[in-house]
Amino acid sequence: RADASVATFFLVQVGLALFTLDSFCSDEQKKRLFPDMLKLKTISGWGLTEPTIGSDAGSLQSNVKKVEGGYILNGNKRWIGNGNKDMVVTWARNQETKKIECFIVPNSSPGFTVEVIKNKLALRCVQNAHITFKDVFVPESNKLPGAVNGFGSTNQVLEHSRIFVAWVAVGIALGVYDNTIKYINNRNQFGVKISSLQLQQEKLSRMMGHIQAMLLMVWRTTRLYEAGKLTIAKAAMAKAWTTRMCREVAQLGREMMGGNGIISDNYAMKAVCDIEAIYTYEGTYDINSLVCGRELTGIPAFK
């Protein structure tokens, strides 16, 4: 509601990295990592997406080879939020078993190279990184022992985090509404407040209708998760639909402010840019829709 970049920072730290560790790491790893992560003394990225592997995450190419005392990690990751900080919870394919496994990789590891992606127009405060692993040694103690279900373990995290993303979309939409109603109640044209004009009221009503529907969907999705009844498809549907609706809300707010709508102080144009990133990350609108369609029909439209 205030800033989608801050929300995304916490999404990565809590909804992805900490949730993955809480789900799959050992008690020893929790004792070692959690205190500093919870106090934000240690910031973590979450490494799944690769330069040539985006939506088809099950085909990731980063790989590990078992060696004495641990593993040798090679590969690349891209668009990794918080990836230039202290460590990255990284998914890679075991060369021997061909299964996707999860590892804690400190940024200080020899062979770990990180480059912050520049010139973004959305979520500008978030530090997204391109990461290269070249013969990075990962000790056995940094492998997550509970991540044994391959891409199924990854999906377990994404099911949780996509609810988080849907709430972010709701927050952005509410932020747009807050700033829009304030603006139109203080802007006078033709001798009246523009909030008294029929076109403005119709757009404001449409905006609030979308927000109420978004709130209800995400509230229901959250309750299903808490009851242990949520599926990856339901989470995907909530993420896809709320981000799509938020796009329209942001565009309506920007439109209602006229020329002043493109000024960042009025929030709406910033929201237009930020929701474009959120519409895409954690699975694009199209991919999440197909995940939902697969459950509805029983027929996968992609492998």
Side-chain angles (χ1 to χ4, degrees):
R1 193 168 190 154
D3 192 281
S5 290
V6 176
T8 298
F9 171 87
F10 277 98
L11 164 62
V12 176
Q13 178 78 354
V14 179
L16 288 171
L18 270 168
F19 181 81
T20 301
L21 295 173
D22 190 48
S23 300
F24 305 126
C25 73
S26 65
D27 290 340
E28 182 279 326
Q29 289 168 334
K30 290 182 181 181
K31 291 177 182 177
R32 170 160 53 99
L33 297 168
F34 275 29
D36 283 349
M37 289 187 70
L38 290 169
K39 295 176 182 177
L40 298 181
K41 292 182 178 179
T42 297
I43 305 300
S44 178
W46 194 78
L48 179 65
T49 301
E50 299 182 354
T52 59
I53 303 295
S55 297
D56 188 13
S59 298
L60 63 82
Q61 297 172 350
S62 293
N63 63 87
V64 291
K65 180 181 179 181
K66 187 73 178 76
V67 295
E68 184 177 355
Y71 299 83
I72 296 296
L73 169 64
N74 283 283
N76 296 273
K77 299 291 180 181
R78 188 165 176 83
W79 292 112
I80 308 306
N82 305 345
N84 64 326
K85 302 303 180 182
D86 302 306
M87 68 183 219
V88 177
V89 177
T90 301
W91 300 86
R93 190 178 304 280
N94 188 307
Q95 288 187 8
E96 182 179 353
T97 66
K98 307 303 180 185
K99 289 186 177 181
I100 296 172
E101 299 175 339
C102 194
F103 303 86
I104 303 158
V105 187
N107 288 33
S108 58
S109 304
F112 186 117
T113 305
V114 60
E115 178 185 359
V116 174
I117 299 171
K118 299 180 179 179
N119 302 320
K120 293 193 306 169
L121 296 179
L123 301 177
R124 297 186 67 183
C125 294
V126 177
Q127 300 291 289
N128 292 93
H130 181 110
I131 297 171
T132 301
F133 305 113
K134 185 172 177 57
D135 295 331
V136 175
F137 176 72
V138 182
E140 185 71 45
S141 60
N142 279 10
K143 180 183 178 181
L144 302 193
V148 296
N149 294 323
F151 194 58
S153 297
T154 310
N155 272 338
Q156 184 177 330
V157 180
L158 292 174
E159 177 183 303
H160 171 266
S161 63
R162 281 172 179 157
I163 306 173
F164 201 133
V165 177
W167 278 114
V168 172
V170 173
I172 293 173
L174 286 165
V176 172
Y177 178 85
D178 290 345
N179 284 272
T180 302
I181 191 72
K182 178 181 177 181
Y183 181 89
I184 65 175
N185 275 334
N186 286 282
R187 177 74 170 176
N188 289 287
Q189 293 288 287
F190 308 107
V192 297
K193 295 181 184 298
I194 63 173
S195 58
S196 70
L197 302 176
Q198 290 181 354
L199 285 175
Q200 295 286 62
Q201 290 190 6
E202 186 280 330
K203 291 173 183 175
L204 195 69
S205 175
R206 196 180 346 152
M207 183 187 293
M208 180 51 70
H210 288 343
I211 290 171
Q212 291 300 314
M214 291 164 67
L215 276 166
L216 183 59
M217 172 174 271
V218 185
W219 174 84
R220 174 62 175 158
T221 303
T222 303
R223 290 292 178 263
L224 286 171
Y225 179 82
E226 292 173 342
K229 297 179 180 179
L230 189 68
T231 64
I232 188 70
K234 292 181 176 67
M237 179 177 65
K239 189 274 178 184
W241 190 82
T242 54
T243 56
R244 177 173 174 264
M245 289 298 100
C246 184
R247 270 177 132 194
E248 183 173 346
V249 170
Q251 290 163 0
L252 284 169
R254 174 264 169 278
E255 183 178 316
M256 292 166 70
M257 295 180 189
N260 289 327
I262 68 170
I263 299 172
S264 62
D265 292 354
N266 290 327
Y267 190 90
M269 192 65 191
K270 181 179 182 301
V272 168
C273 292
D274 286 345
I275 190 58
E276 287 303 304
I278 293 164
Y279 183 73
T280 302
Y281 74 40
E282 295 281 335
T284 64
Y285 173 84
D286 292 345
I287 290 297
N288 277 306
S289 297
L290 294 180
V291 170
C292 180
R294 180 178 60 191
E295 182 172 291
L296 293 172
T297 64
I299 303 170
F302 60 97
K303 67 175 184 176

